[in-house]
Amino acid sequence: MTALVEIRDIYIDGRSDETWMPIIKGVDLTLNKGEVLGLIGESGAGKSTLGLAAMGFTRDGVRISGGTVTFDGIDLLAASAAKKRELLGKRIAYVAQSAAASFNPAHKLIDQHTEGPVQHGVMSRSESVQDGIELYRRLRLPNPEEIGFRYPHQVSGGQLQRAMTAMAMSCRPDLIIFDEPTTALDVTTQIEVLASIRDIVDQFDTAAIYITHDLAVVAQMADKIKVLLKGDEVEEADTRTMLSAPKEDYTKSLWAVRAFERPQKPAVHTSATPVVSVQNVSAAYGKIPVLHDVSFDIHEGRTVAVVGESGSGKSTTARCITGLLPPSQGVIQFDGQSLPAHYKNRSKDQLRQAQMIYQMADTALNPRQRIGDIIGRPVQFYMGLTGKQKRRRVEELLEEIELPAAQYIDRLPSELSGGQKQRIGIARALAAEPKFIICDEVTSALDQLVAEGILKLLARLQDDLKLSYMFITHDLATVKAIADEVVVMKEGKVVEQGTKHDMFVPPHHPYTDLLLSSVPEMDPDWLTNLLNERGVDNIGDAAVDKMS
Amino acid sequence: MSTLTTLALLLVAIAAGGWMFRFAGQKATANAPTFRDMPFAVAFGYVFGASLLLFSVWYFFQPTVTDAGVPNAGVVFFRWAVQFFIISTIAAYVFRLVGRAVGTEGSKKIFRQMPLTASFGVLVIILYAITAIFAQWLAPFGQEEIFQRVNVLPGGNAATGGDPMHPLGTDQIGRDLLSRLIYGAQNTVGIAFVTTCLAFFLGGTLGFLAATLQGWLDQVLSRAVDVLMAIPSLIFALLLMTIASAWAGSERWLLTVYMILIIAVIDSTRVFRLARAVGLNIVVMDYIEAAKLRGEGLGYLIFKEILPNATAPLLAEFGLRFCFVFLTIASLSFLGVGIQPPLADWGTMVRDSAQFINFAAFSPLTAALPLLAAGAIALLTVGVNFVVDWMLQRSSGLKE
């Protein structure tokens, strides 16, 4: 039997600064009919580029400089534009990472769905509409009869991602390329999308290339896994072998990341004054209430993880603490003293004591300021240091975050990698010499190995400087790694709180249980078992809805 | 009807040519991707362009004087345009080569990435700046000096009605046109530059303030700007200038000051809109939030955090706005309320010699008189726009 897709010794270059830099350096890939291949690697490993190359396609500024791509006996690199037009959409389909950005907001879902089949002459429009509804039903979208007649903005993110999968299936292609289809979704939503993608790929015996950086996800989806590192193949094996016995050191290090976990600290004295105490806080955006009676304490040298899905009010709580959103009821206490509700009414010292680290280091650092200025500003502003003293302090801070000062102090943020930028964000917070730092999803935009480095750094700084952290995250693996106490939030309310130990051992509040059980595990049978346990109709949104 | 038929036939011929061109290309290159994937419209475009080029070459070599002894004005103007185009291209190319060879590493890199249009634009701007700054030394005569011979034609050739002393000729009352063009650069461009700077200072400051503070201040400023923008700008300027000329009385220089203020205020509304929009995109960034939470004041936020991130779009707008201000001044002068005689100004120069354009068919040299000043305006506008396009492309990160 010949393979469906065969990529032989492919070389792909990207243009940067007037020269061609290699992105993929001689990778082979074979995919048989009905098989699912997982492509994993860090950002910049060339996963997406290789996935697109399997369609004979390259992004602008990228070229294929060597090798062959064969799809079902057709040489895609030599094929004419007309020939490729015939294949793409009909026999090869693509599902992008952000469905919200990939749908045309001006057309209804079903109109975009039927375009492919009608253009390729597979079905008439009315047949295609019927087929679309059938696909929506199979992908377990709510109200399959009418959901297609909505516009993209009227549908939630997870549903949109499934609608896009339906669109990719509309011509019953032989190959679908999934480019990180669940990365932007919450864990409970992710399960729905994963389950429906897997089902539909099984049903129609479609081959798929599944690109992701999440190992646990790929373990559920793929028959075999290929690991990429900086454009080179590290290893390839079938899923079970790869998970149980990875050969290469790099793969082992990827697997080991999930093992990082801090020991539980002893319980604090009940009489000790907490550093930050959130007391019965309610808040609203305009007239819409978003927080209801939220209370929790953060003690010196402890990390409180605030967990919940998007829209649960985690970041709003942080905005109340920093004073960006004055609460409508309740108070924030710092070291036993009430803080003014609005940040403009707080003293310089009160502002200094509480610092913040942001999720997107790209937007958190001014792109026009050099590292020395970014970190130097709070040093000058709060400590009054200038000139040489300021520079020496900045150098100290850079050493503290494990970046060689001489090399980085005069760079711009754009000259740093994602992990380095996040470290600069940490240094800026440290420069104020605070007691308390809010970490807002600080690792969610980073690759797993880099994220682990950031978590370890934060843990070390906490021990050295007795810092208290409020750690906002939706990733329970991160919680496991760093938290002392956990606060679970849902729809603006605290559902459950307690020590990490309590939280990860049953019994739980049912919502906590749902969150915990939705986190993909490295076991390839995890999804199957979970679905059997919960029942097909009781996953994701449906499960969340039943609880409220 | 026959013209239409000819045109239709031509188009059909070009279409057939396009098809044949593609077919021949496919055969000759053994179906190379360039020809294989070429849409018909592209092939049509190639043949159409080639035909146009051939026609231009043929037209360029037509005699300038018909058999009957009447000048063939179309050919004359076409030759001037083509010659000017070729000289400009060569100048821009040489300028870019020089830029790549001389200067610091940074400036060399800029010149390496520069398209030819941008290097032409930069060259034009530099030349205009030099002319404006050194007008007193460059001009052969004073701008108010009057000579005996009036209405001397350009060219400097006595046989065609010129005068070697006045290479570009003289106007109706005998002032040297070359000198007036050079002084015009100083007056028109200088005043436009000052006005644009003022407009940017006003509009930029208020726009950033509105974006940062928002609330009622933003509402008041934005609505005020809406009201100003609702009035057609040229007519509004004309109206205000009429009032200003009554205030200024016999003080001519005061009128120029009023004009600068009026145009600056009217144009600052557009700058306000842009600065506010750009500012709004920046103030939502996390680094602004971080600075606010640090307790930073308004001045630091605007000048240290927002302004450095807004320079690219503002600079591009500066170039564009400069052209508009410059054209507004020329228009006002053309209408008689702008820069006052005897000061040389390109707008006034066009108005003074405008009627000569009627002689184009009989005497191209006479018609060239109003075209000189108009060309000076057009050249600067085109040059600035080339540079702005290039800057916009760089700041938006688009690849060519």
Side-chain angles (χ1 to χ4, degrees):
Chain A
M1 174 184 149
T2 56
L4 182 69
V5 181
E6 271 201 83
I7 298 180
R8 286 283 158 268
D9 199 27
I10 194 159
Y11 285 82
I12 304 176
D13 303 337
R15 193 163 177 78
S16 82
D17 242 9
E18 298 171 38
T19 50
W20 290 98
M21 303 292 290
I23 299 176
I24 298 282
K25 305 160 201 161
V27 173
D28 291 339
L29 186 152
T30 311
L31 187 65
N32 294 317
K33 212 166 165 36
E35 208 172 34
V36 179
L37 171 76
L39 270 184
I40 61 174
E42 296 172 40
S43 48
K47 312 182 291 280
S48 295
T49 312
L50 185 61
L52 288 172
M55 309 168 71
F57 178 81
T58 54
R59 293 208 172 101
D60 279 348
V62 176
R63 66 168 187 198
I64 296 176
S65 57
T68 57
V69 179
T70 323
F71 173 81
D72 201 14
I74 304 159
D75 184 353
L76 281 184
L77 297 185
S80 70
K83 181 81 194 162
K84 269 200 245 182
R85 242 188 332 264
E86 220 170 85
L87 289 176
L88 296 182
K90 187 175 176 186
R91 297 194 61 198
I92 309 175
Y94 177 74
V95 176
Q97 173 169 6
S98 169
S102 304
F103 271 106
N104 186 336
H107 296 288
K108 290 176 183 161
L109 293 178
I110 199 79
D111 292 339
Q112 303 187 47
H113 181 99
T114 54
E115 194 182 338
V118 173
Q119 281 290 318
H120 285 292
V122 180
M123 292 177 218
S124 71
R125 197 190 129 83
S126 55
E127 281 168 356
S128 176
V129 170
Q130 284 311 311
D131 184 61
I133 292 171
E134 176 59 25
L135 282 171
Y136 291 152
R137 184 173 294 125
R138 291 212 199 181
L139 284 161
R140 294 196 286 274
L141 280 161
N143 306 327
E145 307 285 338
E146 55 106 10
I147 194 166
F149 296 90
R150 297 191 199 165
Y151 288 95
H153 68 271
Q154 297 170 312
V155 176
S156 79
Q159 291 168 359
L160 215 50
Q161 201 72 53
R162 275 179 282 169
M164 186 162 226
T165 309
M167 194 157 97
M169 292 304 295
S170 63
C171 294
R172 303 291 181 275
D174 300 313
L175 171 68
I176 302 186
I177 289 145
F178 293 98
D179 195 351
E180 308 240 14
T182 61
T183 304
L185 304 176
D186 282 322
V187 275
T188 49
T189 324
Q190 170 169 291
I191 291 199
E192 286 176 348
V193 179
L194 289 182
S196 47
I197 288 178
R198 201 174 64 170
D199 284 0
I200 206 143
V201 166
D202 275 354
Q203 279 172 18
F204 296 111
D205 200 25
T206 314
I209 295 179
Y210 196 97
I211 300 166
T212 180
H213 65 269
D214 191 335
L215 302 165
V217 166
V218 88
Q220 313 310 317
M221 306 302 291
D223 301 318
K224 55 183 184 180
I225 296 178
K226 185 193 278 295
V227 184
L228 292 179
L229 173 66
K230 290 176 186 152
D232 273 323
E233 178 178 326
V234 177
E235 60 177 313
E236 182 184 325
D238 72 86
T239 304
R240 278 165 206 279
T241 325
M242 185 70 112
L243 289 174
S244 53
K247 282 192 213 103
E248 301 293 321
D249 287 342
Y250 175 71
T251 322
K252 283 179 193 156
S253 73
L254 280 180
W255 269 227
V257 169
R258 302 208 149 223
F260 171 64
E261 189 176 340
R262 296 178 81 194
Q264 174 86 45
K265 288 185 185 145
V268 268
H269 273 287
T270 42
S271 61
T273 319
V275 174
V276 172
S277 173
V278 179
Q279 297 179 349
N280 308 98
V281 164
S282 300
Y285 286 120
K287 288 211 171 82
I288 304 156
V290 276
L291 286 186
H292 309 275
D293 200 23
V294 172
S295 304
F296 58 88
D297 291 344
I298 303 171
H299 287 272
E300 186 177 38
R302 297 303 150 105
T303 304
V304 173
V306 179
V307 192
E309 307 196 305
S310 44
S312 62
K314 311 182 297 271
S315 293
T316 311
T317 313
R319 288 173 68 84
C320 285
I321 297 176
T322 54
L324 283 166
L325 180 73
S328 53
Q329 272 170 17
V331 284
I332 313 286
Q333 284 194 339
F334 196 90
D335 269 345
Q337 301 203 317
S338 291
L339 285 176
H342 200 283
Y343 76 92
K344 280 188 179 156
N345 302 326
R346 294 183 186 174
S347 71
K348 207 167 171 181
D349 202 51
Q350 283 170 333
L351 289 171
R352 180 182 69 77
Q353 294 285 6
Q355 290 293 316
M356 185 141 178
I357 307 171
Y358 295 86
Q359 172 176 13
M360 304 300 294
D362 284 319
T363 59
L365 306 179
N366 191 331
R368 299 283 165 155
Q369 288 180 355
R370 300 197 177 271
I371 302 307
D373 297 326
I374 291 174
I375 305 175
R377 180 63 193 175
V379 171
Q380 184 181 350
F381 189 78
Y382 291 125
M383 311 299 154
L385 299 181
T386 49
K388 274 192 180 148
Q389 282 178 307
K390 175 171 130 187
R391 193 171 170 97
R392 200 171 312 129
R393 176 72 184 129
V394 172
E395 282 166 1
E396 272 173 34
L397 285 162
L398 281 171
E399 298 298 337
E400 190 91 70
I401 54 161
E402 296 154 15
L403 290 179
Q407 202 181 333
Y408 288 99
I409 198 161
D410 288 322
R411 290 204 194 176
L412 288 170
S414 54
E415 295 164 318
L416 301 181
S417 71
Q420 287 169 339
K421 279 185 216 164
Q422 199 54 281
R423 281 167 192 262
I424 301 299
I426 295 173
R428 178 174 63 187
L430 289 180
E433 298 178 17
K435 283 180 96 167
F436 169 61
I437 298 181
I438 297 172
C439 306
D440 190 355
E441 303 263 15
V442 288
T443 55
S444 56
L446 301 174
D447 287 319
Q448 294 187 3
L449 281 174
V450 181
E452 190 199 11
I454 297 284
L455 289 181
K456 283 184 170 157
L457 172 69
L458 285 171
R460 202 202 75 218
L461 290 171
Q462 182 166 53
D463 294 341
D464 291 353
L465 305 169
K466 294 214 163 145
L467 294 167
S468 309
Y469 293 141
M470 172 176 162
F471 207 96
I472 298 171
T473 184
H474 67 269
D475 179 15
L476 290 155
T478 312
V479 175
K480 225 173 209 166
I482 197 163
D484 299 308
E485 285 159 54
V486 182
V487 175
V488 182
M489 291 188 71
K490 177 173 179 265
E491 289 165 7
K493 298 186 188 104
V494 173
V495 179
E496 191 175 8
Q497 54 180 310
T499 63
K500 174 170 71 171
H501 182 74
D502 297 344
M503 213 45 85
F504 283 97
V505 176
H508 309 291
H509 182 278
Y511 180 69
T512 316
D513 200 40
L514 179 72
L515 269 186
L516 284 177
S517 63
S518 300
V519 178
E521 285 168 23
M522 294 292 266
D523 171 12
D525 299 322
W526 169 81
L527 185 60
T528 320
N529 295 341
L530 183 79
L531 294 179
N532 290 338
E533 205 175 291
R534 286 196 196 164
V536 184
D537 297 323
N538 204 10
I539 53 168
D541 285 349
V544 177
D545 290 342
K546 273 189 190 158
M547 216 147 286
S548 38
Chain B
M1 192 58 214
S2 73
T3 330
L4 272 182
T5 327
T6 325
L7 268 179
L9 277 175
L10 256 175
L11 281 180
V12 169
I14 291 174
W19 191 86
M20 267 156 38
F21 166 68
R22 185 172 65 167
F23 184 76
Q26 282 168 352
K27 289 289 162 231
T29 58
N31 239 359
T34 336
F35 284 105
R36 186 192 62 197
D37 294 338
M38 183 185 282
F40 176 69
V42 174
F44 179 86
Y46 275 126
V47 173
F48 187 76
S51 327
L52 215 60
L53 198 69
L54 276 177
F55 173 76
S56 310
V57 173
W58 171 81
Y59 193 65
F60 185 84
F61 289 109
Q62 290 301 296
T64 49
V65 182
T66 53
D67 298 335
V70 184
N72 199 345
V75 178
V76 174
F77 285 117
F78 186 72
R79 279 197 188 179
W80 283 350
V82 170
Q83 282 160 357
F84 180 76
F85 179 78
I86 292 172
I87 292 171
S88 310
T89 313
I90 294 171
Y93 191 77
V94 171
F95 177 66
R96 191 169 67 169
L97 278 185
V98 172
R100 282 175 185 177
V102 208
T104 60
E105 223 19 74
S107 77
K108 277 186 194 170
K109 192 179 177 190
I110 292 176
F111 273 102
R112 266 204 306 279
Q113 294 169 342
M114 195 184 264
L116 206 56
T117 49
S119 95
F120 174 70
V122 173
L123 182 66
V124 166
I125 292 172
I126 291 177
L127 287 180
Y128 272 63
I130 292 174
T131 316
I133 294 168
F134 302 105
Q136 274 83 345
W137 295 278
L138 286 174
F141 306 105
Q143 57 181 325
E144 297 161 24
E145 230 172 304
I146 293 173
F147 293 88
Q148 282 297 312
R149 294 192 57 192
V150 297
N151 285 339
V152 173
L153 292 183
N157 184 354
T160 56
D163 182 342
M165 211 168 84
H166 308 293
L168 293 187
T170 58
D171 63 9
Q172 301 98 310
I173 55 171
R175 292 176 297 192
D176 181 54
L177 274 176
L178 177 63
S179 307
R180 283 184 70 75
L181 263 185
I182 292 173
Y183 273 102
Q186 192 171 49
N187 297 330
T188 320
V189 178
I191 289 173
F193 186 73
V194 171
T195 312
T196 317
C197 286
L198 197 62
F200 264 75
F201 177 73
L202 259 179
T205 317
L206 294 180
F208 285 142
L209 261 182
T212 320
L213 293 177
Q214 300 181 6
W216 63 267
L217 182 86
D218 182 24
Q219 286 298 324
V220 170
L221 285 173
S222 297
R223 296 300 79 78
V225 161
D226 286 349
V227 170
L228 281 182
M229 285 179 92
I231 309 168
S233 60
L234 188 64
I235 296 182
F236 192 36
L238 206 60
L239 181 83
L240 292 177
M241 282 305 293
T242 320
I243 302 172
S245 58
W247 286 350
S250 58
E251 303 275 353
R252 283 287 169 79
W253 64 270
L254 206 55
L255 191 62
T256 310
V257 174
Y258 282 139
M259 182 182 71
I260 291 176
L261 289 178
I262 288 168
I263 300 179
V265 169
I266 292 176
D267 269 78
S268 71
T269 54
R270 276 79 176 168
V271 182
F272 172 88
R273 279 262 175 110
L274 178 78
R276 181 175 169 275
V278 173
L280 279 178
N281 278 335
I282 298 173
V283 289
V284 295
M285 291 299 199
D286 289 338
Y287 55 85
I288 302 291
E289 189 182 302
K292 277 185 183 166
L293 287 179
R294 202 185 302 140
E296 299 283 6
L298 195 60
Y300 180 87
L301 281 180
I302 290 183
F303 291 107
K304 289 290 169 79
E305 299 277 357
I306 299 179
L307 191 60
N309 288 292
T311 36
L314 280 185
L315 225 63
E317 174 71 9
F318 187 89
L320 218 58
R321 200 46 44 207
F322 174 75
C323 290
F324 282 118
V325 167
F326 177 75
L327 291 173
T328 311
I329 293 176
S331 319
L332 286 179
S333 305
F334 179 84
L335 294 169
V337 292
I339 297 168
Q340 296 300 308
L343 286 185
D345 165 75
W346 291 341
T348 325
M349 287 169 72
V350 175
R351 179 187 54 171
D352 287 348
S353 53
Q355 71 274 23
F356 289 126
I357 202 81
N358 297 328
F359 295 94
F362 324 107
S363 164
L365 275 180
T366 314
L369 277 172
L371 290 182
L372 281 173
I377 297 172
L379 191 60
L380 181 60
T381 313
V382 169
V384 169
N385 273 298
F386 276 162
V387 176
V388 168
D389 277 349
W390 171 59
M391 274 173 21
L392 275 179
Q393 195 170 36
R394 265 164 57 106
S395 69
S396 65
L398 296 170
K399 300 261 159 69
E400 58 261 47

